[in-house]
Amino acid sequence: IFNDETMYFDAPTNEKRASYFNAFSTYEYLISIGVRPVVELSFTPSPVNNGTCDHFYYKGCETVPTNMTLYGEYVQNFTTALKEHFGVAEVSSWYFEVYNEADLFVPS
């Protein structure tokens, strides 16, 4: 969800704010065919990654966020937007996986 292809952090018209259009369009389609989304809050958003990410064509990044406060704000803003767009009852029926690379969060 938090990769640049989905969130559009660098889109000039977004002024570096996240956009949820692609994610919401996908979730709307899944719901329309009777499937409940499984939301994986993974990849480190470009504004809080260390700039060394080049995994595959989409440049997914699994590094520890450089600013956990800002990363927390992204998670909160996204989940709030989900509730506002789809409703609490719908979103509460989904499964969430928060950061699929938990082994990278080893205290230093």
Coordinates of all heavy atoms in Angstrom, one line a residue, residues 13-66:
T13 N 0.8 17.4 -8.5 CA -0.5 17.9 -8.1 C -0.9 17.6 -6.7 O -1.8 18.2 -6.1 CB -1.6 17.4 -9.1 OG1 -1.6 16.0 -9.0 CG2 -1.4 17.9 -10.5
N14 N -0.2 16.6 -6.1 CA -0.5 16.2 -4.7 C 0.4 16.9 -3.7 O 0.2 16.7 -2.5 CB -0.3 14.7 -4.5 CG -1.5 13.9 -5.0 OD1 -2.4 14.5 -5.6 ND2 -1.5 12.6 -4.8
E15 N 1.4 17.7 -4.2 CA 2.2 18.4 -3.3 C 2.8 17.5 -2.2 O 2.9 17.8 -1.0 CB 1.5 19.6 -2.7 CG 1.0 20.6 -3.7 CD 0.2 21.7 -3.1 OE1 0.0 21.8 -1.9 OE2 -0.4 22.5 -3.9
K16 N 3.2 16.3 -2.6 CA 3.9 15.3 -1.8 C 2.9 14.7 -0.7 O 3.3 14.1 0.2 CB 5.1 15.8 -1.1 CG 6.2 16.2 -2.1 CD 7.5 15.6 -1.9 CE 8.5 16.1 -2.9 NZ 9.0 15.1 -3.8
R17 N 1.6 14.9 -0.9 CA 0.6 14.2 0.0 C 0.2 12.9 -0.6 O 0.2 12.7 -1.8 CB -0.6 15.1 0.1 CG -0.3 16.4 0.9 CD -1.6 17.2 0.9 NE -2.0 17.4 -0.5 CZ -2.6 18.5 -0.9 NH1 -2.8 19.5 -0.2 NH2 -3.0 18.6 -2.2
A18 N -0.1 12.0 0.2 CA -0.5 10.7 -0.2 C -1.9 10.7 -0.9 O -2.8 11.5 -0.5 CB -0.6 9.7 1.0
S19 N -2.1 9.9 -1.9 CA -3.4 9.7 -2.6 C -3.7 8.3 -2.5 O -2.9 7.4 -2.6 CB -3.3 10.1 -4.0 OG -4.4 9.7 -4.7
Y20 N -5.0 8.0 -2.2 CA -5.4 6.6 -2.0 C -6.3 6.1 -3.2 O -6.9 5.1 -3.1 CB -6.2 6.5 -0.7 CG -5.5 7.1 0.5 CD1 -6.1 8.2 1.2 CD2 -4.3 6.6 0.9 CE1 -5.4 8.7 2.2 CE2 -3.6 7.2 1.9 CZ -4.2 8.2 2.6 OH -3.5 8.8 3.7
F21 N -6.3 6.8 -4.3 CA -7.2 6.5 -5.4 C -7.0 5.0 -5.9 O -7.9 4.3 -6.0 CB -6.9 7.4 -6.6 CG -7.7 7.1 -7.8 CD1 -9.1 7.4 -7.9 CD2 -7.2 6.4 -8.9 CE1 -9.9 7.1 -8.9 CE2 -8.0 6.0 -10.0 CZ -9.3 6.4 -10.0
N22 N -5.7 4.6 -6.1 CA -5.5 3.2 -6.6 C -5.9 2.2 -5.6 O -6.6 1.2 -6.0 CB -4.0 3.0 -7.0 CG -3.7 3.6 -8.3 OD1 -4.5 4.1 -9.1 ND2 -2.4 3.7 -8.6
A23 N -5.6 2.4 -4.4 CA -6.0 1.4 -3.3 C -7.5 1.3 -3.2 O -8.1 0.3 -3.2 CB -5.3 1.8 -2.0
F24 N -8.1 2.5 -3.1 CA -9.6 2.5 -3.0 C -10.3 1.9 -4.2 O -11.3 1.2 -4.0 CB -10.1 3.9 -2.7 CG -9.8 4.4 -1.3 CD1 -9.0 3.8 -0.4 CD2 -10.4 5.6 -0.9 CE1 -8.7 4.2 0.8 CE2 -10.2 6.1 0.4 CZ -9.3 5.4 1.2
S25 N -9.8 2.2 -5.4 CA -10.4 1.6 -6.6 C -10.3 0.1 -6.5 O -11.3 -0.6 -6.9 CB -9.7 2.1 -7.8 OG -9.9 3.5 -8.0
T26 N -9.2 -0.4 -6.1 CA -9.0 -1.9 -6.0 C -9.9 -2.5 -4.9 O -10.6 -3.5 -5.2 CB -7.5 -2.2 -5.6 OG1 -6.7 -1.7 -6.7 CG2 -7.3 -3.7 -5.5
Y27 N -10.0 -1.8 -3.8 CA -10.9 -2.3 -2.7 C -12.3 -2.3 -3.2 O -13.1 -3.2 -2.9 CB -10.7 -1.5 -1.4 CG -9.3 -1.6 -0.9 CD1 -8.8 -0.6 -0.1 CD2 -8.4 -2.6 -1.1 CE1 -7.6 -0.6 0.5 CE2 -7.2 -2.7 -0.6 CZ -6.7 -1.7 0.2 OH -5.5 -1.7 0.7
E28 N -12.7 -1.2 -3.9 CA -14.1 -1.1 -4.3 C -14.5 -2.3 -5.3 O -15.5 -2.9 -5.2 CB -14.3 0.2 -5.0 CG -14.4 1.4 -4.1 CD -14.3 2.8 -4.8 OE1 -14.2 2.8 -6.0 OE2 -14.4 3.8 -4.0
Y29 N -13.5 -2.6 -6.2 CA -13.8 -3.7 -7.1 C -13.9 -5.0 -6.3 O -14.8 -5.8 -6.5 CB -12.6 -3.8 -8.1 CG -12.8 -5.1 -8.9 CD1 -13.8 -5.2 -9.9 CD2 -11.9 -6.1 -8.8 CE1 -14.0 -6.3 -10.6 CE2 -12.1 -7.3 -9.5 CZ -13.1 -7.4 -10.4 OH -13.3 -8.6 -11.1
L30 N -13.0 -5.3 -5.4 CA -13.0 -6.5 -4.6 C -14.3 -6.6 -3.9 O -15.0 -7.7 -3.9 CB -11.8 -6.6 -3.6 CG -10.5 -6.7 -4.2 CD1 -9.4 -6.6 -3.2 CD2 -10.3 -8.1 -5.0
I31 N -14.8 -5.6 -3.2 CA -16.0 -5.6 -2.5 C -17.2 -5.9 -3.5 O -18.1 -6.6 -3.1 CB -16.2 -4.3 -1.7 CG1 -15.2 -4.2 -0.6 CG2 -17.6 -4.2 -1.2 CD1 -15.1 -2.8 0.0
S32 N -17.1 -5.3 -4.7 CA -18.2 -5.5 -5.6 C -18.4 -6.9 -6.1 O -19.4 -7.3 -6.5 CB -18.0 -4.6 -6.9 OG -17.0 -5.1 -7.7
I33 N -17.3 -7.7 -6.0 CA -17.4 -9.1 -6.4 C -17.5 -10.0 -5.2 O -17.3 -11.2 -5.3 CB -16.2 -9.5 -7.3 CG1 -14.9 -9.4 -6.7 CG2 -16.3 -8.8 -8.6 CD1 -13.7 -9.9 -7.5
G34 N -17.7 -9.4 -4.0 CA -17.9 -10.2 -2.8 C -16.6 -10.6 -2.1 O -16.7 -11.6 -1.2
V35 N -15.5 -10.0 -2.3 CA -14.3 -10.3 -1.7 C -13.9 -9.2 -0.7 O -14.0 -8.0 -1.0 CB -13.1 -10.4 -2.7 CG1 -11.8 -10.7 -2.1 CG2 -13.4 -11.5 -3.7
R36 N -13.5 -9.6 0.5 CA -13.1 -8.7 1.5 C -11.6 -8.5 1.4 O -10.8 -9.4 1.4 CB -13.4 -9.2 2.9 CG -14.9 -9.3 3.2 CD -15.5 -7.9 3.3 NE -17.0 -8.0 3.3 CZ -17.7 -7.6 2.2 NH1 -17.1 -7.1 1.1 NH2 -19.0 -7.7 2.2
P37 N -11.1 -7.2 1.3 CA -9.7 -7.0 1.1 C -8.9 -7.5 2.3 O -9.3 -7.5 3.5 CB -9.6 -5.5 1.0 CG -11.0 -5.0 0.6 CD -11.9 -6.0 1.2
V38 N -7.7 -7.9 2.0 CA -6.6 -8.1 3.0 C -5.6 -6.9 2.8 O -5.1 -6.8 1.7 CB -5.9 -9.4 2.9 CG1 -4.8 -9.5 3.9 CG2 -6.9 -10.5 3.1
V39 N -5.5 -6.0 3.8 CA -4.7 -4.8 3.6 C -3.3 -5.0 4.2 O -3.2 -5.3 5.4 CB -5.4 -3.6 4.2 CG1 -4.6 -2.4 4.0 CG2 -6.8 -3.5 3.6
E40 N -2.3 -5.0 3.4 CA -0.9 -5.1 3.9 C -0.3 -3.7 3.9 O -0.1 -3.1 2.9 CB -0.1 -6.1 3.0 CG 1.3 -6.2 3.5 CD 2.1 -7.1 2.6 OE1 1.5 -7.9 1.8 OE2 3.3 -7.0 2.6
L41 N -0.1 -3.2 5.1 CA 0.6 -1.9 5.3 C 2.1 -2.1 5.2 O 2.8 -2.1 6.3 CB 0.1 -1.3 6.6 CG -1.4 -1.0 6.8 CD1 -1.6 -0.4 8.1 CD2 -1.9 -0.2 5.6
S42 N 2.6 -2.3 4.0 CA 4.0 -2.6 3.9 C 4.6 -1.6 2.9 O 3.9 -0.8 2.3 CB 4.2 -4.0 3.4 OG 3.7 -4.2 2.1
F43 N 5.9 -1.8 2.8 CA 6.8 -0.9 2.0 C 6.9 0.4 2.8 O 5.9 0.9 3.3 CB 6.4 -0.7 0.6 CG 6.6 -1.9 -0.3 CD1 5.6 -2.3 -1.1 CD2 7.8 -2.6 -0.2 CE1 5.8 -3.4 -1.9 CE2 8.0 -3.7 -1.0 CZ 7.0 -4.1 -1.8
T44 N 8.1 0.9 2.8 CA 8.3 2.2 3.5 C 8.1 3.3 2.6 O 8.8 3.4 1.5 CB 9.8 2.2 4.1 OG1 10.0 1.0 4.9 CG2 10.0 3.4 5.0
P45 N 7.2 4.2 2.9 CA 6.9 5.3 2.0 C 8.2 6.2 1.7 O 9.0 6.3 2.5 CB 5.9 6.2 2.7 CG 5.3 5.3 3.8 CD 6.4 4.3 4.1
S46 N 8.3 6.7 0.4 CA 9.5 7.4 0.0 C 9.9 8.6 0.9 O 11.1 8.8 1.2 CB 9.5 7.8 -1.4 OG 8.4 8.6 -1.7
P47 N 8.9 9.3 1.5 CA 9.3 10.4 2.4 C 10.0 10.0 3.7 O 10.6 10.8 4.3 CB 8.0 11.1 2.7 CG 7.1 10.8 1.5 CD 7.5 9.4 1.2
V48 N 9.9 8.7 4.0 CA 10.5 8.2 5.3 C 11.4 7.0 5.1 O 11.7 6.3 6.0 CB 9.5 8.0 6.4 CG1 8.7 9.2 6.8 CG2 8.5 6.9 5.9
N49 N 11.8 6.8 3.8 CA 12.8 5.7 3.7 C 14.2 6.3 3.5 O 14.4 7.5 3.3 CB 12.4 4.7 2.5 CG 12.5 5.3 1.2 OD1 13.5 6.0 0.8 ND2 11.6 5.0 0.3
N50 N 15.2 5.4 3.5 CA 16.6 5.9 3.5 C 17.1 6.1 2.1 O 18.3 6.4 1.9 CB 17.5 5.0 4.3 CG 17.6 3.6 3.8 OD1 17.2 3.4 2.6 ND2 18.1 2.7 4.6
G51 N 16.3 5.9 1.1 CA 16.7 6.2 -0.3 C 17.5 5.1 -0.9 O 18.1 5.3 -2.0
T52 N 17.6 3.9 -0.3 CA 18.4 2.8 -0.9 C 17.5 1.7 -1.5 O 17.9 0.6 -1.6 CB 19.3 2.2 0.2 OG1 18.6 1.7 1.2 CG2 20.3 3.2 0.7
C53 N 16.3 2.1 -1.9 CA 15.3 1.0 -2.3 C 15.3 0.9 -3.8 O 15.0 1.9 -4.5 CB 14.0 1.4 -1.7 SG 14.0 1.8 0.0
D54 N 15.5 -0.3 -4.3 CA 15.3 -0.5 -5.7 C 14.8 -1.9 -6.0 O 15.3 -2.5 -7.0 CB 16.7 -0.2 -6.4 CG 17.8 -1.1 -5.9 OD1 17.5 -2.0 -5.0 OD2 18.9 -1.0 -6.4
H55 N 13.9 -2.4 -5.2 CA 13.4 -3.7 -5.4 C 12.4 -3.8 -6.5 O 11.4 -3.1 -6.5 CB 12.7 -4.2 -4.1 CG 13.7 -4.4 -2.9 ND1 14.3 -3.3 -2.4 CD2 14.1 -5.4 -2.3 CE1 15.0 -3.7 -1.4 NE2 14.9 -5.0 -1.3
F56 N 12.7 -4.6 -7.5 CA 11.8 -4.8 -8.7 C 11.5 -3.5 -9.4 O 12.1 -2.5 -9.1 CB 10.6 -5.5 -8.2 CG 10.9 -6.7 -7.3 CD1 10.5 -6.7 -6.0 CD2 11.5 -7.8 -7.9 CE1 10.8 -7.8 -5.2 CE2 11.8 -8.9 -7.0 CZ 11.4 -8.9 -5.7
Y57 N 10.6 -3.5 -10.3 CA 10.3 -2.3 -11.1 C 9.6 -1.3 -10.3 O 9.7 -0.1 -10.6 CB 9.4 -2.7 -12.3 CG 7.9 -2.9 -12.0 CD1 7.0 -1.8 -12.1 CD2 7.4 -4.1 -11.5 CE1 5.7 -2.0 -11.8 CE2 6.1 -4.2 -11.2 CZ 5.3 -3.2 -11.3 OH 3.9 -3.3 -11.0
Y58 N 8.9 -1.6 -9.2 CA 8.2 -0.6 -8.4 C 9.0 -0.1 -7.3 O 8.5 0.8 -6.5 CB 6.9 -1.2 -7.9 CG 7.1 -2.6 -7.2 CD1 7.5 -2.7 -5.9 CD2 6.8 -3.7 -7.9 CE1 7.6 -3.9 -5.3 CE2 6.9 -5.0 -7.3 CZ 7.4 -5.1 -6.0 OH 7.5 -6.3 -5.4
K59 N 10.3 -0.5 -7.1 CA 11.2 0.1 -6.1 C 10.6 0.0 -4.7 O 10.7 0.9 -4.0 CB 11.6 1.5 -6.5 CG 12.3 1.6 -7.9 CD 13.0 2.9 -8.1 CE 13.6 3.1 -9.4 NZ 14.1 2.0 -10.1
G60 N 10.0 -1.1 -4.4 CA 9.5 -1.3 -3.1 C 10.6 -1.2 -2.0 O 11.8 -1.6 -2.3
C61 N 10.3 -0.7 -0.9 CA 11.3 -0.5 0.1 C 10.9 -1.1 1.5 O 9.8 -0.8 2.0 CB 11.5 1.0 0.3 SG 12.9 1.5 1.4
E62 N 11.8 -1.9 2.0 CA 11.5 -2.6 3.3 C 12.4 -2.1 4.4 O 12.6 -2.7 5.4 CB 11.6 -4.1 3.2 CG 10.7 -4.7 2.2 CD 11.3 -4.9 0.8 OE1 12.5 -4.7 0.7 OE2 10.6 -5.3 -0.1
T63 N 13.0 -0.9 4.3 CA 13.8 -0.4 5.3 C 13.0 0.2 6.5 O 11.8 0.5 6.3 CB 14.8 0.7 4.8 OG1 14.0 1.8 4.3 CG2 15.7 0.2 3.7
V64 N 13.6 0.2 7.6 CA 13.0 0.8 8.8 C 12.7 2.3 8.5 O 13.6 3.0 8.0 CB 13.8 0.6 10.0 CG1 13.2 1.3 11.2 CG2 14.1 -0.8 10.3
P65 N 11.5 2.8 8.8 CA 11.2 4.2 8.5 C 12.2 5.1 9.3 O 12.6 4.9 10.4 CB 9.8 4.4 9.1 CG 9.2 3.0 8.9 CD 10.3 2.1 9.2
T66 N 12.6 6.2 8.6 CA 13.6 7.1 9.2 C 12.9 8.0 10.2 O 13.6 8.7 11.0 CB 14.3 7.9 8.1 OG1 13.3 8.6 7.3 CG2 15.1 7.1 7.2

